[in-house]
Amino acid sequence: MAAVNAADGLPVEEALPVLRKALGNRNNLVVSRAARHVAGLGLAELVPEMVAAFWRFMPGAGDAVKRDPQCWAKNDLSKALAGFDAQEPELFLAGMRHHQMEPTWGGASDTAGALRGACALALVVCREVSSYALLQHLVPLFRDKDTPVRVNAARAVEQVGSDAASLLLRLRVELGSDEPEVLGACLGGVLRIDGETVLPWVGEFLARGDDLAAEAALCWRRIGRRRCCRICRRHMWTGGSRRFAKRWWRRWLRCGSRRLRAGCWNDWAGASATPGMWRKRCGMPSLPRKLWRN
């Protein structure tokens, strides 16, 4: 392990044989640290060794729980391969389907959630996989029990960037009944794929007064306050948010200073996004208002 840690400060010619030997080690911690150094040094020559090491820690080569507890080696290997744009769809698909139940106090827990999410994002860069096939592989991840996996699935669908991907994310938002992080990732994905044309649709969720309304407010924040105000004036006079938009827009027009105008917009966003639910989660008196000011 000491030799692997020292390889990070060595010249590339000297670090290459050390890291190649470390990737063949049986210890998952040594392989995990070697994969990090390979990614940091940009040693694309070691991609075949990393692929072989990944398969060595999968269930087909033995007991994955004993060989790679907590999936430390597989996690770092998959991230390093994704950083090199490795064209290994079979490897990433195997990682997306991998579940590793390890004993914990009172039962067992799945420690492969981070691996499934990382492999989902890495599969998108595989050029030989069509957009239709990508969506077929990514859709089952939306019912994964781990919230980070579902968030990464939404981000991977966003990276597909097709019309079908946008409709899939819209459908997931309309269905609701999920963690706010997942719905926020879906809203942000639709916004980045379709642009400002979907802002009226996103604005419809602002008046709901639930977690989805707060995530919609954050999506509006990402495109900038000035553009939000312009789009609000143009689009938000109709629909469920009219009672919020009309009152706060009139106050905005009456305000002379920039600070007061920003405050009116903060009040409108806070009224729509229900600050109370953020107070419980983040321990702040009014997170949306603070967030929009920062």
Side-chain angles (χ1 to χ4, degrees), residues 30-95:
V30 174
V31 175
S32 171
R33 190 64 57 85
R36 295 183 189 179
H37 292 326
V38 169
L41 295 172
L43 299 176
E45 303 92 333
L46 296 180
V47 167
E49 284 79 1
M50 288 193 293
V51 172
F54 184 91
W55 289 116
R56 195 169 66 248
F57 290 109
M58 289 296 285
D63 190 350
V65 177
K66 293 182 179 180
R67 287 173 172 265
D68 186 23
Q70 302 298 316
C71 294
W72 282 321
K74 293 190 288 290
N75 287 337
D76 288 320
L77 287 168
S78 63
K79 293 176 183 177
L81 290 171
F84 288 117
D85 290 344
Q87 302 299 304
E88 297 288 340
E90 295 299 327
L91 183 149
F92 296 131
L93 284 172

Side-chain angles (χ1 to χ4, degrees), residues 226-282:
R226 184 173 299 179
R227 292 169 62 195
C228 282
C229 292
R230 186 179 69 250
I231 295 165
C232 172
R233 180 177 60 183
R234 187 169 67 232
H235 292 298
M236 298 302 293
W237 292 96
T238 60
S241 302
R242 174 169 182 163
R243 63 183 182 275
F244 296 117
K246 190 172 182 180
R247 177 174 47 164
W248 299 116
W249 183 251
R250 285 179 177 175
R251 281 188 56 193
W252 192 92
L253 290 176
R254 289 198 300 265
C255 294
S257 68
R258 183 177 181 181
R259 176 179 295 182
L260 289 176
R261 291 185 181 184
C264 289
W265 178 253
N266 294 335
D267 292 341
W268 184 81
S272 306
T274 60
M277 62 185 163
W278 294 92
R279 187 183 306 118
K280 180 179 179 181
R281 183 187 305 173
C282 303

Side-chain angles (χ1 to χ4, degrees), residues 157 161-171 189-190 193-194 198:
V157 171
S162 63
D163 294 338
S166 176
L167 290 175
L168 177 61
L169 294 176
R170 285 195 187 211
L171 176 62
V190 175
I193 292 174
D194 295 335
V198 300

Side-chain angles (χ1 to χ4, degrees), residues 92-131:
F92 296 131
L93 284 172
M96 287 172 55
R97 298 164 181 163
H98 181 60
H99 292 264
Q100 187 164 310
M101 305 303 296
E102 298 189 19
T104 58
W105 181 262
S109 64
D110 186 6
T111 61
L115 175 64
R116 294 194 295 276
C119 289
L121 293 171
L123 183 66
V124 181
V125 303
C126 294
R127 293 182 290 273
E128 62 183 78
V129 183
S130 65
S131 299

